Amino acid sequence: MALKGKNILVGVTGSIAAYKAAILVRCLVKEGASVRVVMTAAAKEFITPLTMATLAKNPIYVEFFNPENGDWHSHVSLGEWADCFVIAPATANTLAKMAYGIADNLLLTTYLSARCPVMVAPAMDLDMYSHPTTGENLAKLASVGVAIVEPEEGELASGLSGKGRMAEPEYITEQISKLLDGAEKKTLNGRRFIVTAGATIEPIDPVRYITNHSTGKMGYAIAEELASRGAEVTLISGRTALPTPKGVERVDVLSAEEMYEAVKARWEGCDGGVMCAAVADYTPAEVSPVKVKKSEGDMAIRLRRTPDIAASLGAVKGDRLLIGFALETDHEEENAQGKLERKNFDLVVLNSLRDKGAGFGGDTNKVTFVTRDGMESFPLEQKSDVARRIAAFADSFFKKF
Ligand code: C5P
């Protein structure tokens, strides 16, 4: 379980199900979590602070300050302390106040200032639960990322039977564990990235084109990994046969020029870019509108330079993260160092076609990370593992700021 050593703040509100909060606290402590409890005044009518404090092995918070010695109970520091804030039971009243930002007790001020994941386990009578207003409030809370542990069907304190019974403490404990597991991986929440991937296609005429062997696998794996860590990813993709990774916005382009325009239009507002595409350095200077006919002798196609997408982002990088690739066949490290400087990359992921299993097409890659601090080489591994290394580099880059 992900609960060992975690700080869990349990919020208890005034519901008959408050007795289950005592069992919840016991379950959490048993899993190795540190538990603190914040109660509303109404909750104290249903379960005593003494019971909760004994089970939590910590004092209970109800008032903004301790009436005996005037000690201030800071909602901000409670929220900062917590790795997860779980409000169980959550009454219709507290849910409504949370949805509308009302902050008239310590539990609610803590909710408004908490930066950790928040979970609610509603408990109320069936008609209160099925009331459209309660539904709207829960939807509003879900839309701002509050996790909801749905109540169960069964016998209710009112004597009626239906949906409204708070979920069992053991089940809530499991859900907290899952939530924390997921939250740990969401290290790039709120970060926006552009990833380029695949080969560009430079037309010669309506039938022929210049391209390269890139399949896009590396760039797609990176986009998927960044998105799975909570980043908002736009994948600017040359031609590939790959499906769009889950949670990623994909923009299809053909030529280097189109890729340049698509990237340039999105760089502002991004926190980082990973330039993984195999972009043609040259494109036919003139594209024939009709199929070029063959003639007796040889023929030449005049090529002109394409824009360097990565370098154009690097020139206006500021404190954003920019990662590039270097696929080399010779003078690998020297060339990678050159790119680091010329394009203003923070990291160059170097791979050499001299290494078996590296480069185009396959599912594996063998890379060296080249940064201003030095170089680190890794063994041959799955492209998904290389993607994880690159995402971990992004994690630590943003931690510096
Ligand atoms: O200079 P070279 O093409 O070897 O540099 C490779 C790096 O630069 C890769 O990250 C690639 O995606 C990027 N690049 C680019 N635009 C180009 C050429 C390369 O973004 N026109």
Side-chain angles (χ1 to χ4, degrees):
M1 273 230 185
L3 287 167
K4 202 167 165 40
K6 287 286 176 330
N7 295 337
I8 311 294
L9 181 63
V10 176
V12 186
T13 68
S15 153
I16 194 75
Y19 76 94
K20 286 188 182 174
I23 307 169
L24 175 64
V25 168
R26 213 184 51 191
C27 289
L28 293 168
V29 170
K30 221 167 100 193
E31 293 297 335
S34 257
V35 181
R36 291 189 190 182
V37 179
V38 54
M39 298 172 81
T40 61
K44 287 199 299 180
E45 304 294 329
F46 292 89
I47 188 145
T48 70
L50 181 62
T51 307
M52 298 305 286
T54 310
L55 292 170
K57 304 183 167 96
N58 269 315
I60 301 305
Y61 303 88
V62 181
E63 312 290 348
F64 287 105
F65 56 89
N66 182 337
E68 269 149 39
N69 58 19
D71 273 358
W72 175 245
H73 293 152
S74 160
H75 53 275
V76 176
S77 52
L78 265 181
E80 270 173 2
W81 171 85
D83 293 309
C84 181
F85 184 18
V86 53
I87 298 148
T91 57
N93 179 47
T94 290
L95 291 171
K97 287 179 175 179
M98 285 169 72
Y100 284 90
I102 295 169
D104 62 358
N105 62 40
L106 187 61
L107 186 150
L108 290 163
T109 48
T110 304
Y111 163 66
L112 276 181
S113 55
R115 292 182 182 168
C116 61
V118 177
M119 178 182 277
V120 293
M124 63 198 78
D125 207 38
L126 79 162
D127 294 314
M128 289 174 87
Y129 185 69
S130 63
H131 196 285
T133 306
T134 304
E136 277 166 28
N137 292 338
L138 282 169
K140 199 154 184 258
L141 291 173
S143 75
V144 295
V146 173
I148 293 158
V149 187
E150 283 205 25
E152 296 171 356
E153 301 229 1
E155 205 180 302
L156 299 163
S158 60
L160 297 171
S161 188
K163 197 166 180 178
R165 267 165 71 116
M166 188 177 91
E168 290 307 312
E170 292 78 7
Y171 181 72
I172 298 173
T173 305
E174 262 174 47
Q175 298 308 304
I176 298 170
S177 179
K178 278 191 194 155
L179 184 72
L180 284 176
D181 232 7
E184 259 167 27
K185 293 189 190 110
K186 300 283 180 215
T187 45
L188 293 172
N189 245 343
R191 300 280 179 193
R192 288 169 72 179
F193 278 86
I194 298 177
V195 178
T196 66
T200 61
I201 287 186
E202 308 300 326
I204 297 167
D205 67 17
V207 183
R208 290 101 168 190
Y209 54 77
I210 299 171
T211 191
N212 58 65
H213 291 298
S214 171
T215 56
K217 279 185 181 172
M218 192 65 248
Y220 273 55
I222 293 167
E224 183 169 355
E225 181 61 31
L226 294 174
S228 80
R229 292 181 189 224
E232 229 178 274
V233 182
T234 304
L235 178 61
I236 316 279
S237 177
R239 194 183 59 172
T240 79
L242 299 169
T244 309
K246 213 172 123 226
V248 167
E249 183 205 8
R250 171 168 158 183
V251 177
D252 286 319
V253 294
L254 286 175
S255 65
E257 188 69 43
E258 274 181 47
M259 187 174 272
Y260 172 69
E261 293 300 334
V263 169
K264 203 172 65 169
R266 290 167 177 83
W267 185 226
E268 209 185 306
C270 274
D271 300 289
V274 185
M275 304 288 103
C276 200
V279 186
D281 292 322
Y282 294 91
T283 193
E286 291 96 29
V287 181
S288 169
V290 292
K291 188 178 169 192
V292 176
K293 300 287 178 297
K294 58 177 155 310
S295 52
E296 273 311 303
D298 297 342
M299 75 169 292
I301 299 172
R302 200 164 63 82
L303 301 175
R304 63 174 168 78
R305 280 295 308 267
T306 55
D308 191 316
I309 303 166
S312 75
L313 301 192
V316 291
K317 190 176 88 70
D319 59 9
R320 287 176 284 193
L321 169 66
L322 191 61
I323 299 177
F325 274 72
L327 175 62
E328 304 295 335
T329 56
D330 57 277
H331 299 90
E332 287 87 348
E333 291 174 2
E334 202 182 310
N335 288 340
Q337 294 276 12
K339 274 168 212 179
L340 190 75
E341 296 309 327
R342 255 195 333 276
K343 308 198 189 202
N344 198 17
F345 286 135
D346 298 290
L347 165 68
V348 170
V349 182
L350 165 66
N351 44 171
S352 170
L353 278 190
R354 284 200 275 190
D355 286 322
K356 246 181 118 209
F360 293 130
D363 288 323
T364 56
N365 209 352
K366 184 174 183 325
V367 302
T368 298
F369 277 12
V370 182
T371 65
R372 284 180 187 79
D373 298 331
M375 284 193 224
E376 191 178 3
S377 294
F378 302 106
L380 183 70
E381 54 194 358
Q382 294 294 311
K383 283 186 172 165
S384 54
D385 290 325
V386 176
R388 269 194 280 280
R389 286 193 194 285
I390 292 168
F393 182 92
D395 282 351
S396 54
F397 178 88
F398 291 117
K399 276 199 196 114
K400 280 191 229 154
F401 288 96

